[in-house]
Amino acid sequence: MANKLIKVKAPATVANVSCGFDCIGYAISKPGDIVTIEKQDQLGIEISMSGIKYESIPVDPENNTAGKAILSLLNTLESKQGFKVHIEKGIPPGSGLGSSAASTAAAVVGVNELLGKPLKQDELLVHGMAGEAASAGVEHADNVAPALFGGIILIRSYEPLDILHLPVPNNLFSTVVLPDFTVNTREARSILPKHVPLKTAIAQAGNLAGFTLALHNGDFDLLGRSMVDHLAEPHRAKLIPGYDHVHQSAIDTGAIGCGISGSGPSVFALSDSLEKAEKIGLAMVNAFKNSGLTSQSYCSPIHTQPPEILS
Ligand code: HSE
């Protein structure tokens, strides 16, 4: 008998990764969201939620990122199948850790499985992006693509969509420190200028090219030099109290590079060992403390797997 119920876990992600505004993201092993989906006889999508700070997330499918992604997928398949969807938030919304993208990625993978896998993993991305638009206002893919495929992803082009998997050096580790307040992605995008000077565009392009070459060559010195953001960070840093100190504490503790994770308030750092990643996490938590903020640190290698089907 065909499956009626599925449980899928998708990972948190770090978007932008300094020099790759809207076009680079990587997945981390923890935290993650778990989405349970059940086919139902009546029409429509019914969403319920639990977990960390779920109360602020709308359950109406048109305004819920996972709901919107499922509707987009069903529309493409011209399917009228109804689903009950339960989202267990392990990733707090408004954290800069790809919270909405994780729910969305797990939801599209789960629904696709329950429908007998009519779409390939690559074909799920556009539906995940439609979901992201429900929370960010635009279809950015730098959280949902790494949540869906794992690894470090480059979105070379949005139109047409061209997704590239960048090499993941074995000894590359991530620290993400989440302070205890939220930043709304839509608002964090609204403070960015619509146009940048040519000089700024050139600086960003140079760093992005350097970043990809550094991953190919495992050259962490070049990676660090390239992890500078000229587009978003100069405008968003003021949204995060003590950001400059947190950034400096990561670099002083041996980070390859450090920046705002997605639209913040999480701050991420890359390093060359798990031990260092943990030390950097402690230093960043301390720096946030000096600005009067409690925070939580997540350290892991880059997560290279697609969403996990738990049952
Ligand atoms: N690239 C997006 C932004 C990521 O910075 O607005 C949001 O998590």
Side-chain angles (χ1 to χ4, degrees):
M1 202 178 84
N3 265 353
K4 277 194 73 177
L5 186 137
I6 194 163
K7 200 181 242 206
V8 184
K9 182 172 182 188
T13 45
V14 171
N16 299 338
V17 200
S18 296
C19 53
F21 179 70
D22 272 3
C23 58
I24 295 210
Y26 67 79
I28 54 178
S29 323
K30 59 187 177 198
D33 279 4
I34 297 175
V35 178
T36 307
I37 307 167
E38 189 177 4
K39 277 185 178 172
Q40 64 173 1
D41 293 335
Q42 63 262 49
L43 292 173
I45 314 293
E46 236 178 86
I47 299 177
S48 59
M49 317 245 342
S50 62
I52 305 174
K53 296 190 178 166
Y54 74 92
E55 299 88 348
S56 61
I57 304 171
V59 289
D60 148 34
E62 281 289 344
N63 291 308
N64 178 286
T65 54
K68 188 85 181 168
I70 296 172
L71 290 173
S72 163
L73 192 156
L74 295 179
N75 190 34
T76 295
L77 297 176
E78 295 178 3
S79 165
K80 297 217 179 315
Q81 178 65 53
F83 291 98
K84 260 190 194 169
V85 178
H86 182 79
I87 303 169
E88 193 184 328
K89 296 300 299 173
I91 311 168
S95 59
L97 286 170
S99 172
S100 55
S103 300
T104 300
V108 290
V109 166
V111 165
N112 194 44
E113 286 285 333
L114 288 181
L115 294 176
K117 270 197 159 178
L119 298 181
K120 297 199 225 56
Q121 193 84 351
D122 284 7
E123 295 171 323
L124 296 178
L125 180 59
V126 284
H127 304 298
M129 288 166 65
E132 279 289 74
S135 74
V138 289
E139 295 193 345
H140 70 90
D142 49 342
N143 288 114
V144 73
L148 207 46
F149 306 122
I152 309 176
I153 301 291
L154 167 67
I155 299 115
R156 191 207 56 82
S157 156
Y158 275 88
E159 285 176 30
L161 200 52
D162 189 1
I163 301 295
L164 304 175
H165 295 247
L166 296 176
V168 180
N170 280 338
N171 52 340
L172 187 62
F173 293 82
S174 166
T175 305
V176 188
V177 175
L178 168 61
D180 190 18
F181 72 101
T182 58
V183 167
N184 178 285
T185 298
R186 205 182 279 256
E187 283 164 24
R189 295 185 78 87
S190 73
I191 64 168
L192 302 180
K194 296 282 169 286
H195 302 277
V196 295
L198 185 59
K199 209 176 158 188
T200 307
I202 293 167
Q204 191 84 357
N207 281 331
L208 188 50
F211 182 91
T212 58
L213 183 66
L215 288 180
H216 274 276
N217 291 349
D219 180 344
F220 289 172
D221 195 53
L222 174 61
L223 193 65
R225 293 202 308 279
S226 307
M227 284 175 64
V228 180
D229 178 20
H230 294 279
L231 299 185
E233 193 172 307
H235 305 281
R236 287 176 169 171
K238 59 176 176 283
L239 302 177
I240 304 170
Y243 175 73
D244 290 345
H245 292 297
V246 175
H247 184 281
Q248 196 55 47
S249 71
I251 301 296
D252 290 347
T253 316
I256 295 167
C258 171
I260 301 174
S261 175
S263 55
S266 289
V267 180
F268 80 97
L270 291 175
S271 56
D272 59 8
S273 76
L274 189 55
E275 198 191 345
K276 218 180 261 176
E278 281 162 359
K279 274 194 189 142
I280 291 166
L282 284 176
M284 291 164 82
V285 166
N286 263 331
F288 267 127
K289 203 165 163 192
N290 290 339
S291 295
L293 288 166
T294 54
S295 60
Q296 189 174 352
S297 159
Y298 301 94
C299 301
S300 74
I302 310 299
H303 183 72
T304 53
Q305 300 304 311
E308 184 186 357
I309 297 176
L310 300 177
S311 63

